[in-house]
Amino acid sequence: MNIIITKDNQELSEKACGIIEKQVNDKPDSVLGLATGGSPLGTYKQLINGCQERSVNYENVSTLNLDEYIGLDKNDPQSYHFFMKKHLFDHINIRPENTYIPNGKAVNLGDECERYEQLIDDIGPPDLQLLGIGQNGHIGFNEPGTSFQSETHIIELEESTRRANARFFDSLDKVPKQAITMGIQSILKSEKIVIIASGERKADAIRSLLEDEPDENMPASALRAHKHVTLIVDEAAYQKAGH
């Protein structure tokens, strides 16, 4: 695992952006795996700047998102469809038909999981997958205890995850209790993985990722088996590692 330590979230976002832009410039029809939540927001701002100011071209890029809440329509302001449009897709020259996110309103959710996993194989797997890490070590919405062999599936969200995401909703009660997520095996299909972590709240998860043996109770630890992982972490998130 290649580790890049930055002084703050701004530098972290710039480093992550640089890696993604190099991927797109080197391979204009790249498939990017994308994440949502607070972690990638700074990176997405940098990518927008790169498209608008440095002429980075996303016209032939395809994207596969990690997850979506079950029960939210894609036009719901709290859905990850809406999130991606608001924070990235509407501001770069990517073709909407080349952006893929699970359908949380599918009539048959089991069929949707199978469809999306097939899509990962048909369109991807991603050349580069961007990940955040939850305070409990989740990647995508793969909560502690998820099998390292899992493919796209339905997950019951832990209370800690729902509380962490409640800041995006009017109240905790409004946070969905289930999601569709790429599984850990789905994520590991990616050619390259970039995982970003910022802030003191992530310090325990980063220490565990780097120092503990891989364990399904720490989903991100599955990344230790991948051949090409870059961890970009700021000093606050890295402070408990290596002690």
Side-chain angles (χ1 to χ4, degrees):
M1 187 181 295
N2 179 33
I3 303 171
I4 299 172
I5 303 169
T6 67
K7 66 179 184 294
D8 55 23
N9 185 260
Q10 176 69 23
E11 186 185 356
L12 177 152
S13 300
E14 291 168 359
K15 294 283 188 186
C17 172
I19 292 171
I20 295 168
E21 288 187 345
K22 184 178 188 307
Q23 174 65 47
V24 172
N25 288 332
D26 288 351
K27 186 185 178 191
D29 63 346
S30 287
V31 178
L32 301 178
L34 298 180
T36 49
S39 295
L41 284 176
T43 301
Y44 292 160
K45 284 182 184 175
Q46 295 299 320
L47 291 175
I48 292 167
N49 290 342
C51 182
Q52 296 178 351
E53 298 171 11
R54 296 188 294 277
S55 301
V56 180
N57 184 11
Y58 294 88
E59 192 175 2
N60 296 312
V61 167
S62 297
T63 62
L64 288 159
N65 260 76
L66 286 164
D67 42 33
E68 177 61 284
Y69 289 116
I70 286 174
L72 295 191
D73 182 80
K74 65 182 181 181
N75 295 315
D76 188 300
Q78 305 305 338
S79 75
Y80 286 158
H81 281 78
F82 192 96
F83 178 103
M84 291 306 304
K85 285 170 61 67
K86 177 180 178 181
H87 294 293
L88 185 63
F89 296 155
D90 283 353
H91 310 286
I92 62 175
N93 67 328
I94 197 165
R95 296 174 180 172
E97 64 269 23
N98 289 345
T99 63
Y100 300 92
I101 304 174
N103 177 9
K105 290 282 280 185
V107 174
N108 188 315
L109 293 168
D111 287 351
E112 175 62 10
C113 291
E114 290 183 20
R115 181 193 75 84
Y116 202 73
E117 190 65 33
Q118 189 62 51
L119 202 59
I120 295 167
D121 291 337
D122 291 347
I123 290 159
D127 295 292
L128 189 155
Q129 173 70 57
L130 179 67
L131 295 174
I133 181 171
Q135 288 173 251
N136 63 2
H138 73 241
I139 50 175
F141 267 137
N142 293 290
E143 299 282 27
T146 302
S147 168
F148 284 173
Q149 307 306 313
S150 59
E151 295 191 325
T152 303
H153 61 287
I154 296 164
I155 193 84
E156 299 285 334
L157 299 180
E158 288 204 348
E159 188 73 6
S160 62
T161 298
R162 294 181 65 242
R163 286 189 182 283
N165 289 352
R167 66 189 188 277
F168 300 114
F169 291 79
D170 292 335
S171 69
L172 178 62
D173 293 341
K174 298 285 180 67
V175 183
K177 295 183 178 180
Q178 293 182 310
I180 297 177
T181 184
M182 278 192 201
I184 292 173
Q185 192 61 44
S186 318
I187 291 168
L188 292 176
K189 292 177 183 179
S190 306
E191 284 296 311
K192 290 178 277 194
I193 294 173
V194 174
I195 181 166
I196 55 178
S198 175
E200 190 176 350
R201 292 183 305 115
K202 302 297 176 75
D204 286 324
I206 293 302
R207 186 211 58 74
S208 179
L209 170 64
L210 295 176
E211 297 178 6
D212 294 342
E213 289 298 311
D215 187 307
E216 289 184 347
N217 287 316
M218 173 62 181
S221 67
L223 301 176
R224 297 268 290 274
H226 195 276
K227 65 185 184 299
H228 198 303
V229 177
T230 300
L231 168 65
I232 310 176
V233 59
D234 67 11
E235 291 173 356
Y238 191 70
Q239 62 181 285
K240 294 187 179 179
H243 291 189

